[in-house]
Amino acid sequence: MARDGGSRLTAVCFLASYIWLSCSLQRHSLIDQPLLSTFLLLFISGAIAFIASLFSKWLPGADGRFDSEAVIKGMQSSLPHRPRRFYIPCIIFLIVFRIVIIHTVIRDFQCATEGVEAFLPVLLAAHEFFSHRTPQIVSDEPEDMWGSPLEDFKNWLISSPITLLFSTILFSYGVFMVGDFTTRSTYFCSTLVNRGSRTVFTQWLGVFIDAVILIMLWRVLSWARTTKSRLRTLGGILILASIGVSFLWMVSRVSQHQEIIGHNPFRGIGSLYFFDVSSTALLVSTLIISTALWFCDSTVLEPTAIAVFTSGLLASIQNVLLIGSYQQTSADQPLMVLFIISVGFILFTYANDMRWIVVFKRVFLMLLLASIFVTSAIFAVVRNKHLDRHPVDELVYRNRVEADRWLRHATVSTTLKLAVTEYKDRHQGRDPPPNFDKWFEFAQQRKSVVIDRFDQIERDILPFWGMEQRKIQEGLERLKGLPDIGIIKIVGGKASHNQPIDPMQKVVLDEAVSMISTFSRHLPDMSIAINLKERPRVLVPWDDIHRYIMAGSRSRLQILPYRARKSQGDEPKLAEGNPIDVSKTVLGSVAQPYVPPQKFRQLEALACPPGSAARGGVHWDVRDFCSSCVKPHSEGQFLEDWEMFLDPCHQPDIFRLHDLHTIPHLHDLHQDLLPLFSRSKTDSFNDILIPLIQPVNHERDETGFSQKKDIVFWQEDVKDSRVLTPLSLLGGHRCRLVHLANNASAVDEVSMLLGVQANGKDKFRYEETRVKEANGPLPFEFSFTNVEQCGYPSCQVIQQEFGFKEPSRALDNRYIMLLDTADGPPPDLLPTLRSNSVPVLSSIFREWYTERLMPWVHFVPIDLRYHALHSTMAYFIGLKNRGTINGRPQLTEGRQEDARWIAEQGRKWADKAIRREDMEVYMFRLLLEWGRVIDENRDNLGFVL
């Protein structure tokens, strides 16, 4: 590369924009509308290129090649072949065709091969090899007849196109090998609905088209006379290509116009989307313009090779840093790949006569790569790859201590005076609600072990403190007119409901009224709306909820003890026009009875705070495991923080790994804060959790733990999966589990924590294992069942993909896998907790009692991605005498006593803290708090001793 400052600035802009785009493309809201996004990006980039042409005299190469003295002196051989007239139309067509290929690959990205794009420099080098022209240098000096043969061979080796091609193949292959170390997601490539070979072929076709576009564009722009004409030509190509993409977008809109017409747009999606378009277009235009200016000053191969090398180098360093973890089990392979990439690129710089690489001299780059390799080798040697103690052992111990601490914190109060004091300490000095003494007496009579800790109630009701009582009542009136909403009225101390037609819904409301009737005489008159569907319905943007909470916090700070209120006089209420009061603006939107998965994911992103990973964009890479999504709530491979795991805002990949997000939302979905009570919800939703008894009869488990089968069991009737989409088939949490246990391919791998002997001691080490081999010693029985005729499409697809098994009794097994349904939490969670089996829970939903359960004490938690399923169950079941893994017998003894202890703790705790009496205590407390919030005089209401 040339040494002038302008060229170096161009290279820096290229590299910075390339790295930034590479890092940010993992999550982008633009992916959900690919053709529209591509049209806008190309159009804006073309417009920016035209604008940049107006300032071309300050850009590198402003005088153009033809204005320099190089042509006059006979150096025109540095130019590529003269372009043909059809090149520009051809480039425009190929750009549009390449966009179609990209979208085709992304649609089946789980079937794509990682690293194929690394061979783009090889195609460009092959082009240079076959079009190589030996430069004819005119010199007045006589040729040296007595040159050294060794020197001649050295000069030939450096300048030969064979060396250039070989070095390019070497470092490109090294970058391709980096992809072998990437952990794959459990989102699978189906042989039934996907064509993996076609996807890989499409990838290679796309790389070939990339090479053709770059070479043709290089010829066109290199023969332009000035930088101004180059930028205008580039801008014209981009704008014309954007017009071609716009036609594709309009055709797709017409052909896929299947959504219900007449819906108002959701609030917030437009602003988020167009912000991403604007920021990304700026980066893309910087990348395109700097690339064009750079390869006009050198060759098309140079910037492409540097981009591929940079990606491979950064990925290799990251792999080295992961040595010893579950993500990188080998120490030798990352070092070997780093060596191949470094040596190959150094050879490339000599073969391509690159004395400068961006802003570094070649000698400095060689020293830098050597120091990186030596440091990496030292790190790999000293990095401890063995664990002295199994992480699950440590997690069981720590959470046992935490469960005792939680219980002490929840049962501080033994007298009413202590309960009032504790309430005020935990609620910023606020008095308890009226009739708190009646609730305390009720809780003691019911022998509730939880007296002071009702954090879920506080979180659910807190936003309503910022809403006017009139608006809450208006929201209730709206809910009364919606389907599948039950209304419970409490008037004069008596509870009743609105008698729904559905007998199952009537049973639910009957049970709720029965519980409320035990304390209804202590409640004020009120009506509450009950969501009788399993799926929650209130999904309010985070910005609105935050403003409500801020307004409510200001209001609640006024709720001082009675004597203080009397001394200070009446505090002013929030004015109706207060900028913090958002109720007037929120209640104006219309509910959406049908929401496709794409829109639903966007709405869930809006429910997350600014700066969170989910708010930053949509995670579209379903092929690769998202380690950054898992790290905040995990200790190594294992799930550590259950509360954090339930928060989706730091793990956007979860929006494609659960049926809640992969099938359409078929019920009313509200972006308004409405007073709707539901049995369950995820952390994104704003429904108020209420205990509801489901009309299902569960048998009592009479079989002891030792008499049960040593099997990890999950089974579901296929009728519970009537709504099936390609996303839910390939990424849904139930289908992925069955595929992992039964349909894993020969190349699928999983990281397992296995026992090894090191220095005469038993230790543990992560090892990469074929999934089929890992499944062998572990008794997994995951399946779908079907007791009816398979006469509908989703049933037929599941039968062809997974097959059916005969129904079995879950409680006959020691370990019961508990998965969510498509709309709610596992229906068998409480019966399994009350049994002698171990609940193995993988859920994203909360219920009223979720805060009372402690992972690794009352149940075994499993991440929704299932990446630690094998290691976790191997800890409890053991691998010794169960066959070989990775070609050797395993040493891991089963910790069945820990499993038995968890089963006992879960059963005892459920019989102690999750009884019907506990549901009544929780509901009494909830309705007392709610009765105060909806009262016109709520700021002056409170229980005072």
Side-chain angles (χ1 to χ4, degrees), residues 464-465 467 469 932-933 935-941:
F464 290 94
W465 280 95
M467 177 181 278
Q469 294 84 348
R932 175 166 63 178
V933 168
D935 195 285
E936 292 289 342
N937 194 35
R938 66 185 178 190
D939 290 347
N940 295 311
L941 286 179

Side-chain angles (χ1 to χ4, degrees), residues 334-349:
L335 290 176
M336 180 185 68
V337 170
L338 179 60
F339 179 79
I340 291 174
I341 293 174
S342 302
V343 172
F345 189 73
I346 291 299
L347 286 176
F348 172 81
T349 60

Side-chain angles (χ1 to χ4, degrees), residues 105 118 155 158 229 346 415 516 527 608 611 645 689 834 841 927:
V105 172
N155 292 334
I158 293 176
S229 63
I346 291 299
T415 65
I516 294 174
S527 295
C608 291
F645 167 70
L689 290 182
R834 294 192 173 102
L841 179 61
L927 295 181

Side-chain angles (χ1 to χ4, degrees), residues 493-506:
K494 295 187 180 295
S496 62
H497 63 75
N498 62 340
Q499 300 292 332
I501 298 176
D502 189 327
M504 301 294 285
Q505 295 181 353
K506 185 177 183 301

Side-chain angles (χ1 to χ4, degrees), residues 263-272 463-464 467 475 478-479 482 536-548 582-595 598-608 615 665 667-676 684-687:
H263 289 181
N264 290 348
F266 291 102
R267 298 195 310 277
I269 289 181
S271 59
L272 178 66
F464 290 94
M467 177 181 278
R478 284 179 53 192
L479 290 170
L482 298 178
R537 303 198 201 179
V538 182
L539 186 60
V540 185
W542 181 91
D543 297 333
D544 293 344
I545 289 295
H546 180 67
R547 286 194 292 269
Y548 277 128
V582 296
S583 57
K584 290 195 296 184
T585 60
V586 170
L587 285 176
S589 67
V590 179
Q592 307 296 319
Y594 172 87
V595 183
Q598 170 185 329
K599 284 283 175 58
F600 186 58
R601 289 193 293 268
Q602 294 174 341
L603 293 176
E604 289 214 277
L606 288 174
C608 291
R615 188 70 175 266
H665 190 102
H667 310 295
D668 289 329
L669 184 64
H670 304 273
Q671 282 192 285
D672 308 330
L673 183 59
L674 299 178
L676 182 62
S684 300
F685 283 82
N686 304 102
D687 303 54

